[in-house]
DNA sequence: CCATAGATCGGCT
DNA sequence: GCCGATCTATGGC
């Protein structure tokens, strides 16, 4: 029997919930009943006291859902054409959330591919806006309950053999915070896995630390 | 493979 | 008016 996640698991800071969501499963029941599912392989944490977060300047009409109770979907529109989805975390009133950036398609692949003819399976949900498109998620699902809801919800998944941290993508403020979490073994990431943050002794020998700025970034 | 430009519009300064 | 928690097409190597 598929087991849904519990709301308490999301009632913690986004920074804590984010790595735990990697390896869980997002399920979508389309209007008409078809079921889509993907294993979460890449997410980003956004805290309230976080210059990169929509919640940073307090509640507005757009970000209202972020300030509500945990376990709901915060969906926003950007770049004039894309939808992105987050899972709201933390206590009500807090304004923190986890952006769902990439997933590995598990069920309903034909239905996803119908929306993206000619795409390899690993690319169908590899990117926050690709994923909402594949799953038929838009602003109408803003605020949906991902614990007890019937349109989209979270189930216990197989987990991930590893979860690594990396800088978040596409932001300017607080760009140095390594608040993106991903399964480096997944073929469905939104971009290739970054270099390991803690290099092996062998790698350290090959590329010794330098004095002064190091241009190498984990991307 | 990589880099760059263009799309396209709501939210906020 | 500016600019995004992005993606795709295109053109170069």
């Amino acid at each position: 029997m598929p087991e849904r996640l519990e709301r308490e698991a999301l009632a913690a800071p986004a920074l804590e919930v984010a790595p735990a969501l990697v390896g869980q499963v997002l399920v979508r029941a389309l209007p008409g009943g078809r079921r889509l599912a993907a294993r979460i392989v890449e997410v980003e944490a956004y805290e309230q006291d976080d210059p990169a977060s929509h919640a940073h300047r307090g509640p507005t009409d757009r970000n209202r859902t972020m300030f509500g109770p945990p376990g709901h979907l915060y969906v926003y529109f950007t770049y004039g054409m894309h939808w992105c989805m987050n899972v709201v975390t933390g206590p009500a009133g807090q304004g923190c959330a986890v952006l769902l950036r990439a997933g590995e398609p598990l069920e309903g692949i034909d239905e996803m591919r119908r929306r993206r003819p000619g795409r390899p399976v690993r690319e169908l949900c590899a990117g926050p806006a690709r994923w909402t498109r594949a799953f038929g998620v838009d602003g109408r699902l803003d605020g949906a309950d991902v614990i007890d809801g019937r349109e989209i919800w979270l189930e216990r998944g197989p987990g991930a053999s590893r979860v690594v941290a990396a800088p978040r993508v596409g932001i300017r403020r607080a760009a140095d915070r390594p608040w993106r979490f991903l399964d480096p073994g997944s073929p469905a990431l939104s971009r290739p896995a970054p270099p390991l943050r803690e290099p092996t002794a062998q790698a350290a020998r090959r590329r010794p630390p330098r004095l002064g700025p190091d241009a190498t970034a984990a991307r």
Side-chain angles (χ1 to χ4, degrees):
Chain A
M1 269 319 250
E3 177 195 348
R4 289 188 180 222
L5 296 195
E6 294 176 2
R7 200 173 306 279
E8 296 75 55
L10 304 178
L15 204 45
E16 197 174 306
V17 174
L21 281 179
V22 176
Q24 311 307 332
V25 172
L26 183 72
V27 182
R28 168 85 165 115
L30 289 174
R34 276 162 309 201
R35 186 181 142 114
L36 313 179
R39 187 178 75 101
I40 298 168
V41 297
E42 181 182 339
V43 302
E44 286 176 0
Y46 287 88
E47 295 286 357
Q48 171 151 7
D49 183 20
D50 175 358
S53 172
H54 292 167
H56 184 233
R57 297 171 213 257
T60 65
D61 283 342
R62 173 172 70 152
N63 67 18
R64 188 95 41 212
T65 303
M66 288 185 83
F67 291 85
H72 293 259
L73 203 67
Y74 166 50
V75 183
Y76 69 89
F77 183 67
T78 192
Y79 290 103
M81 65 191 90
H82 297 305
W83 297 96
C84 297
M85 59 182 163
N86 298 247
V87 173
V88 175
T89 73
Q94 264 292 316
C96 46
V98 175
L99 172 69
L100 302 181
R101 282 198 57 89
E104 276 179 20
L106 296 174
E107 296 178 45
I109 290 170
D110 290 347
E111 177 64 29
M112 297 183 211
R113 209 179 345 221
R114 204 176 55 74
R115 298 158 190 255
R116 282 302 172 81
R119 285 277 178 182
V121 173
R122 70 175 172 282
E123 288 183 10
L124 292 173
C125 305
R130 288 174 174 179
W131 198 353
T132 56
R133 172 143 180 206
F135 267 44
V137 169
D138 61 23
R140 289 172 299 198
L141 280 183
D142 182 46
D145 187 346
V146 296
I147 302 297
D148 296 320
R150 297 182 159 229
E151 298 170 300
I152 188 163
W153 64 90
L154 290 165
E155 289 182 0
R156 183 78 52 202
S161 46
R162 282 154 70 221
V163 178
V164 303
R168 294 177 290 184
V169 174
I171 56 169
R172 306 166 43 127
R173 285 128 41 124
D176 54 315
R177 300 185 188 183
W179 287 3
R180 172 171 158 239
F181 300 92
L182 56 101
D183 175 352
S186 173
L189 298 170
S190 70
R191 57 195 55 208
L196 289 180
R197 310 194 75 243
E198 303 196 48
T200 62
Q202 190 180 31
R205 233 174 288 125
R206 223 179 300 124
R207 194 154 57 89
R210 293 180 190 157
L211 302 178
D214 181 352
T216 304
R219 277 199 177 194

